[in-house]
Amino acid sequence: MGIFRSLLRQPTAVFGLVVVIVVVALALAAPLIAPFSPDEQMFDGLTLEGAPMPPGGPFLLGTDTLGRDLLSRMLFGARTSLIIGLVANGVAVAIGLFIGIVAGYLRGLAGNILMRFTDLMMAFPALLLAIVLAALLKPSLWIVAMVIALVNWVQVARIVYTETRGLVERDFIMAERSLGAGHGRILFLHILPHLVPTAIVWGTLGIATTVLLEATLSFLGIGVQPPEPSWGNIIFESQSYFQAAPWLVFFPGLVILLTALAFNLVGDALRDILDPTQRGRG
């Protein structure tokens, strides 16, 4: 509750929190509030010339190139994008925590091998590596989530490694070792709790990155495959109509921007609250 109260004292964090809550609520309630099925091609969803219907009337945000309601597709697309963001980032944080803790605690040859592997992964551009992996595998919701997780864990591992190296030299860890405490007790009862704030901060900040990366992969046509909607593939399907029907790109692009910004604002606020080295900095 103390963390929540601290968040409420920061206007930018409150804005981000409100946006996150609204987006999550709309995604969860999509089957109840969506005016149409996301895959339904309406007879009156296209003009006589076969162009998408503009916003207004029964179609609040207009229709897409196949006569499907854009609002309904964006609501269901929020579920897809958020699921990928949460799952991919959760797996990435778990992998980064594991490798960072093990490398920082063991040090020596094993630690060096793990961190050199981490450095090797960091040397590859994340987007390029994600494109290669997504192209090799058959794109689906869960495959895309795993691909994003496999390219996003390296930053967490590096941060956790550095913090773990500092923790293992602390007096209370030395005291536990002198009392005969095993590696499991030291790792899970004394080191891991100190890394929880770092995991929370990176977990929150990383959601914005994964949502953007999913949108990028879907925009390139190697993310979540139609007809399953996601914000990225809604833009991908409509890019050729950008000038004739700009709302098809503007509305999903706007929600991607707002969602990424909201998670970043909340993550930055949590970092200021949970990281003692950040407190007091203007």
Side-chain angles (χ1 to χ4, degrees), residues 48-142:
L48 294 177
E49 294 79 16
M53 293 291 290
F59 309 113
L60 188 61
L61 299 184
T63 61
D64 67 3
T65 57
L66 296 179
R68 298 171 296 189
D69 180 54
L70 181 60
L71 175 60
S72 300
R73 290 188 61 77
M74 286 181 56
L75 288 172
F76 280 87
R79 297 163 68 92
T80 303
S81 296
L82 289 178
I83 287 173
I84 290 179
L86 292 171
V87 171
N89 197 53
V91 173
V93 170
I95 295 173
L97 269 175
F98 175 77
I99 291 180
I101 290 176
V102 171
Y105 183 76
L106 294 180
R107 293 177 290 182
L109 179 61
N112 285 332
I113 290 175
L114 286 173
M115 293 318 296
R116 296 298 75 77
F117 174 69
T118 302
D119 293 339
L120 179 65
M121 292 294 293
M122 291 184 73
F124 285 97
L127 178 58
L128 180 60
L129 183 58
I131 291 173
V132 171
L133 291 174
L136 292 175
L137 302 171
K138 184 179 180 181
S140 68
L141 189 150
W142 301 111

Side-chain angles (χ1 to χ4, degrees), residues 210-240:
T210 52
V211 168
L212 289 172
L213 188 52
E214 181 278 325
T216 302
L217 292 176
S218 294
F219 174 73
L220 294 173
I222 52 177
V224 178
Q225 297 300 294
E228 184 173 8
S230 77
W231 292 335
N233 68 24
I234 290 174
I235 297 176
F236 170 72
E237 293 176 328
S238 309
Q239 57 182 319
S240 60

Side-chain angles (χ1 to χ4, degrees), residues 96-97 99-105 107 115 118-119 122 154-170 191 195 198:
L97 269 175
I99 291 180
I101 290 176
V102 171
Y105 183 76
R107 293 177 290 182
M115 293 318 296
T118 302
D119 293 339
M122 291 184 73
V154 289
Q155 293 85 0
V156 180
R158 174 56 68 180
I159 295 295
V160 169
Y161 169 75
T162 302
E163 292 194 12
T164 304
R165 284 291 301 268
L167 287 170
V168 295
E169 302 295 338
R170 300 278 293 273
I191 292 180
L195 299 174
T198 299

Side-chain angles (χ1 to χ4, degrees), residues 240-271:
S240 60
Y241 280 77
F242 174 68
Q243 291 184 325
W247 61 88
L248 295 178
V249 175
F250 174 77
F251 288 125
L254 179 63
V255 294
I256 291 172
L257 173 64
L258 284 176
T259 303
L261 175 63
F263 277 110
N264 273 325
L265 291 175
V266 174
D268 284 338
L270 285 174
R271 180 177 58 190

